[in-house]
Amino acid sequence: MRIYKAKNYEDMSRKAANIISAQVIMKPDCVLGLATGSTPLGAYRNLVEWYEKGDLDFSEVVTVNLDEYKGLTRENPQSYYYFMNENLFSKVNIDKDRTFLPDGTEPDSNTACLKYNKILKGVGAPDLQLLGLGHNGHIGFNEPAEHFSTETHCITLSEQTIKANARFFENEEEVPRQAYTMGIKTIMSARMILLVVSGEAKADIVKTAFYGPITPQVPASILQLHPNVVLVADEAALSKW
Ligand code: F6R
């Protein structure tokens, strides 16, 4: 594992964006696994800026996102499709037909998951998978569980995740209780994992994930077994390291 210690959120974002842009430059038709949430926002802003400067070309890039809330349409401002479109897709020259997320509007979980698995198999393993880290150690929406998940599945969000994500909604009641998420096996199939972590509130969990036992109770702990993990975290997140 390589660790890049950033001074602050901006520095973390720039370092992460540099790694993503290196991937796009070295392999213009790469598959990028993408994440939503507040942590990657700064990295996306940098990528957009560098694209506008003419330094980056996304025309051949394929993207697969980690997850989507069950029940939300693409037009819903809280959906992850909307997030990706607002923060990246609509601002760069990516071909929208090459951007994939689970279909939140598919009410049948089995159908939604099979459909997304088929897409993931079709595009192949991500060259780079960007991940954020949940306060309970979740990656994607893979919540603490009895065993590690494999492929795309429907998950019931934990109380802690509902509370953490309520900040994006009018109130806690509005947070969907279920989501479709890429499974751990698929995440682990990525050639490179780029984990971004920021802030003191994540200091305990980032330490637990990498120094604690590998257990499905801390889903991110599985990353200890991945041969090519890059952790980009700011000083606050690494304060207990
Ligand atoms: C988002 C995702 C989640 C977030 C995690 C951290 O697509 O899959 O695992 O990465 O909840 O979220 P933030 O960055 O908002 O702290």
Side-chain angles (χ1 to χ4, degrees), residues 158-174:
S158 70
E159 275 308 309
Q160 197 179 2
T161 301
I162 291 169
K163 282 195 182 357
N165 290 7
R167 67 189 194 278
F168 299 112
F169 292 78
E170 289 272 303
N171 55 59
E172 209 178 297
E173 296 317 302
E174 282 190 21

Side-chain angles (χ1 to χ4, degrees), residues 31-183:
V31 178
L32 294 181
L34 298 178
T36 60
S38 34
T39 318
L41 273 174
Y44 292 149
R45 272 196 294 272
N46 280 295
L47 293 177
V48 170
E49 197 184 309
W50 299 339
Y51 162 74
E52 285 169 352
K53 273 194 192 155
D55 291 343
L56 280 176
D57 176 11
F58 288 88
S59 59
E60 290 178 69
V61 170
V62 173
T63 66
V64 285
N65 260 79
L66 285 168
D67 39 21
E68 179 60 281
Y69 286 116
K70 182 175 174 179
L72 299 194
T73 63
R74 291 180 157 200
E75 293 74 34
N76 187 314
Q78 314 301 343
S79 76
Y80 285 171
Y81 180 87
Y82 192 96
F83 174 103
M84 289 311 303
N85 201 41
E86 275 290 296
N87 295 299
L88 188 68
F89 299 160
S90 68
K91 300 199 157 95
V92 298
N93 66 333
I94 202 158
D95 175 354
K96 295 264 181 71
D97 291 340
R98 290 170 174 255
T99 63
F100 302 99
L101 287 90
D103 180 1
T105 62
E106 172 54 65
D108 183 70
S109 303
N110 247 349
T111 308
C113 296
L114 283 175
K115 217 163 97 183
Y116 201 51
N117 278 337
K118 206 169 153 198
I119 290 170
L120 294 173
K121 290 206 171 104
V123 304
D127 292 290
L128 182 156
Q129 176 66 57
L130 177 63
L131 294 178
L133 180 65
H135 291 96
N136 58 3
H138 73 221
I139 47 177
F141 266 133
N142 291 281
E143 298 280 35
E146 290 305 308
H147 53 79
F148 290 111
S149 63
T150 55
E151 300 186 322
T152 310
H153 56 287
C154 179
I155 193 103
T156 298
L157 271 50
S158 70
E159 275 308 309
Q160 197 179 2
T161 301
I162 291 169
K163 282 195 182 357
N165 290 7
R167 67 189 194 278
F168 299 112
F169 292 78
E170 289 272 303
N171 55 59
E172 209 178 297
E173 296 317 302
E174 282 190 21
V175 184
R177 271 27 188 183
Q178 290 192 308
Y180 298 131
T181 183
M182 202 187 266

